[in-house]
């Protein structure tokens, strides 16, 4: 059964006939689950509780390759890639390796890697743009150095820690944040360093276009980024799965549910959630004539207080639907 789950996932990702639509959801960790063995155990519990077709290793509790407490531009300008000597990188590799070891090959994993800009903006939005106005080239250089560290991390997560691929979370294309020219000059080059590394290490990577602060993105800025699968905030972008898949060149897509508090998966009844599961599946099949290219999931990760039983309702109804429709992906 476990082998079939892993094989089914690879068949789907490669566009080959497969028996089931893969499904997986992601949930942030509690404060007491952020480090060491508690973090590993939290991932294993979540996997056993929800039985996903694959698991995303969460970034929660980690920081960045660069010191996020810096206050002066000179401190940022002093940063250089540390690769294997960077404590952040060593800690993340250890987390991923231990989780994969505990799973003993039962479930494939992707590891959440944040883009250079996503991490650097955590020094504080006001501070970041103060530095950006003061010395744009210093910011570009820092992002490129971050890109080198994160490219190294991505390779090692796949080649040494045993992850199937990278789940690269991208930000910076929010409407009104950067012009397309600024994005191309300052943000994209560092992202491409990471993407090149992960694409050279695995054919199964996922791009996540974050609906940061519920602000629509200039999605066309990411449209041609290479990866096997794309995931975007369909309810923030107002871009349904069917239309988004076309926009991104008919690549595999992941999503279906809104992850925000108060929306259906959080607040709906079991009956409503099961009905919406069927609606998502039927809408997709009607648009494409098959279920090829779909991994059922959500716009983003859920908060720690989310009731995981609700994930199980979706998975159970998905399998019921497959039995009722004698589903086999061509």
């Amino acid at each position: 059964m476990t082998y079939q789950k892993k094989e089914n996932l690879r068949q789907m990702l490669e566009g080959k006939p497969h028996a089931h639509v893969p499904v997986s959801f992601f949930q942030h960790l509690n404060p007491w689950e952020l480090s060491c063995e508690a973090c590993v155990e939290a991932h294993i519990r979540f996997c056993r509780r929800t039985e996903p077709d694959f698991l995303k290793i969460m970034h929660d509790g980690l920081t960045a390759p660069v010191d996020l407490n810096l206050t002066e531009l000179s401190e940022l300008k002093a940063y250089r890639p540390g690769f294997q000597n960077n404590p952040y990188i060593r800690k993340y590799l250890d987390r991923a390796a231990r989780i994969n070891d505990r799973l003993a090959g039962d479930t494939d994993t992707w590891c959440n890697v944040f883009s250079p800009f996503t991490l650097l903006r955590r020094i504080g939005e006001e501070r970041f743009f103060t530095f950006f106005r003061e010395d744009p080239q210093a910011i570009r250089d820092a992002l490129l150095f971050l890109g080198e560290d994160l490219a190294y991390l991505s390779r090692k997560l796949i080649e040494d820690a045993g992850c199937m691929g990278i789940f690269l979370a991208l930000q910076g294309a929010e409407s009104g944040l950067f012009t397309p020219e600024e994005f191309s000059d300052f943000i994209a080059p560092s992202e491409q360093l990471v993407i090149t590394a992960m694409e050279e290490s695995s054919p199964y990577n996922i791009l996540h276009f974050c609906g940061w602060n519920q602000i629509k993105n200039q999605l066309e800025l990411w449209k041609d980024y290479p990866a096997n699968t794309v995931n975007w905030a369909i309810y923030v972008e107002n871009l349904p799965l069917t239309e988004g898949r076309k926009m991104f060149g008919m690549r595999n897509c992941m999503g279906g549910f809104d992850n925000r508090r108060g929306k259906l998966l959080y607040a709906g009844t079991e009956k409503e959630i099961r009905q919406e599961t069927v609606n998502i599946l039927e809408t997709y099949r009607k648009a494409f004539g098959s279920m090829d290219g779909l991994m059922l999931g959500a716009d983003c990760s859920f908060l720690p207080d989310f009731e995981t039983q609700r994930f199980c309702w979706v998975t159970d109804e998905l399998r019921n639907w497959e039995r009722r429709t004698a589903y086999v992906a061509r």
Side-chain angles (χ1 to χ4, degrees), residues 21-38:
V21 174
V23 56
S24 186
F25 295 96
F26 319 130
Q27 185 173 25
H28 288 293
L29 305 179
N30 289 294
W32 56 88
E33 298 173 325
L34 296 181
S35 61
C36 303
E37 192 59 30

Side-chain angles (χ1 to χ4, degrees), residues 3 13 38 41 46 59 129 154 192 209 219 251 279 311:
Y3 171 78
L13 292 169
E41 290 294 338
F46 180 81
H59 187 272
F129 283 103
S154 297
Q192 291 301 328
F209 307 128
L219 288 174
R251 277 183 279 179
N279 178 59
F311 295 147

Side-chain angles (χ1 to χ4, degrees), residues 65 79-94 145 148-157 160:
Y79 162 64
R80 293 293 183 274
F83 306 120
Q84 71 270 18
N85 296 319
N86 191 296
Y88 165 88
I89 289 175
R90 292 201 307 269
K91 187 173 182 179
Y92 209 176
L93 288 172
D94 178 66
F145 289 144
E148 290 184 45
D149 261 340
L150 295 171
Y152 175 85
L153 171 64
S154 297
R155 289 186 190 278
K156 292 298 183 180
L157 285 167
D160 294 351

